[in-house]
Amino acid sequence: MIREHYFCAVERAIASLITQFGETPDLSLCEADLHAVFYQKLLEHDLLAAPHVTKDGRRTGLVHREYPTFFAYESGLEEALGPAQGYYDIVIFDPSFMRTHNLDVIANREPSRALRTLPEQDRPVPLLAAVNLKLLEDCTPAAMEELETDFFDLVRSEPDAQRCYLAVFFRHWETGGERQQLLSTLERWADNHNHVAIVCVQSYADDVGRVFGGRYFNVWNHTAPLLPLDSMAPAWSRQAMRYPRGHYSYL
């Protein structure tokens, strides 16, 4: 199977999650809910849902949650500086890696540490994709620090995954300073690390109205229908405003 088909399925699942977030931003009460919804959307694709046979004859899936890194931390996971580092929210395995390795290695248990001793040019790349999802209610320093941790886990993921994705879901009505701060930060990160595909989407809905829209950074092949936003545009010129219920605005 051509690997592009797998990447297509992953990006379509992200696009579906974005569309759902636009329609019902409060469907996921917390970030763990968002991860669970995305996991289910991935498994709606037969290509990703089918079990695969490992080298030792076991059967497991391609998609897994809260998965520890293989190679991104050279000295092992004990080098991680915090609980969020050293793990990806969602991973999609390369089927060829599954066929050529035992389940203990695929599960990233102790035997897999032996892979670290291989010369770099001989190390397999175990994952097709690593995905981190972030649900933000605001852009406080603490929230941005957590987002930075998730992003740089993906920056380091190049030895682990062929592609990496960061999807930021901003559940807030504000259309000015905080959103501009978020977009400006993501734009800077994207410019400096163009192998990380990033999307930021804002959605908020209450009895007054709703806001919905977003922006993609770096290379994507399949996207949700969002109009781009120039993070440097003055606040008064932006298209995103609060509209009466039943109407959408695009960032």
Side-chain angles (χ1 to χ4, degrees):
M1 179 65 69
I2 300 175
R3 285 183 172 85
E4 288 298 327
H5 294 172
Y6 291 97
F7 300 137
C8 173
V10 172
E11 294 186 13
R12 288 187 184 279
I14 295 172
S16 176
L17 186 64
I18 289 170
T19 299
Q20 185 180 80
F21 183 66
E23 295 170 350
T24 51
D26 299 312
L27 188 64
S28 295
L29 295 180
C30 61
E31 195 167 279
D33 287 350
L34 191 71
H35 296 173
V37 172
F38 180 58
Y39 180 86
Q40 186 58 45
K41 287 186 177 296
L42 288 169
L43 295 186
E44 290 174 2
H45 295 265
D46 292 341
L47 186 64
L48 300 179
H52 286 253
V53 179
T54 66
K55 183 180 179 180
D56 54 346
R58 310 287 286 276
R59 290 165 63 84
T60 189
L62 296 180
V63 182
H64 297 275
R65 295 181 55 198
E66 290 296 318
Y67 191 81
T69 65
F70 268 93
F71 307 124
Y73 292 91
E74 288 297 329
S75 299
L77 296 180
E78 66 274 8
E79 291 293 314
L81 300 179
Q85 291 187 322
Y87 291 82
Y88 307 119
D89 292 337
I90 302 280
V91 300
I92 297 87
F93 267 92
D94 189 329
S96 65
F97 182 85
M98 286 193 160
R99 289 193 300 270
T100 54
H101 291 83
N102 293 338
L103 184 65
D104 277 348
V105 175
I106 292 165
N108 211 345
R109 298 170 183 149
E110 193 61 32
S112 68
R113 299 299 184 262
L115 292 176
R116 292 180 182 273
T117 66
L118 294 174
E120 187 173 345
Q121 66 272 16
D122 296 330
R123 290 179 179 180
V125 179
L127 307 176
L128 289 174
V131 184
N132 281 347
L133 308 172
K134 200 69 183 171
L135 179 62
L136 297 180
E137 306 281 357
D138 51 45
C139 293
T140 62
M144 295 302 291
E145 184 177 352
E146 289 184 10
L147 178 61
E148 184 177 30
T149 294
D150 281 2
F151 174 72
F152 281 98
D153 278 345
L154 293 175
V155 169
R156 299 183 187 95
S157 74
E158 197 167 4
D160 291 338
Q162 296 176 38
R163 294 195 185 175
C164 48
Y165 299 91
L166 176 69
V168 181
F169 296 82
F170 186 41
R171 185 165 55 197
H172 200 289
W173 66 269
E174 190 263 6
T175 58
E178 281 199 75
R179 191 184 65 194
Q180 182 172 350
Q181 173 196 354
L182 176 60
L183 287 170
S184 296
T185 298
L186 293 175
E187 185 174 37
R188 183 177 72 253
W189 290 349
D191 287 344
N192 292 330
H193 304 280
N194 56 21
H195 70 285
V196 182
I198 303 172
V199 61
C200 179
V201 57
Q202 179 183 10
S203 183
Y204 186 87
D206 60 16
D207 57 354
V208 176
R210 65 170 63 235
V211 174
F212 174 49
R215 183 178 173 188
Y216 284 89
F217 301 85
N218 294 332
V219 178
W220 293 76
N221 293 317
H222 299 276
T223 61
L226 297 172
L227 297 180
L229 171 69
D230 181 358
S231 63
M232 301 306 293
W236 56 264
S237 73
R238 291 183 186 158
Q239 293 175 305
M241 300 293 289
R242 300 200 75 196
Y243 283 79
R245 185 188 299 184
H247 291 75
Y248 286 85
S249 65
Y250 293 91
L251 306 192

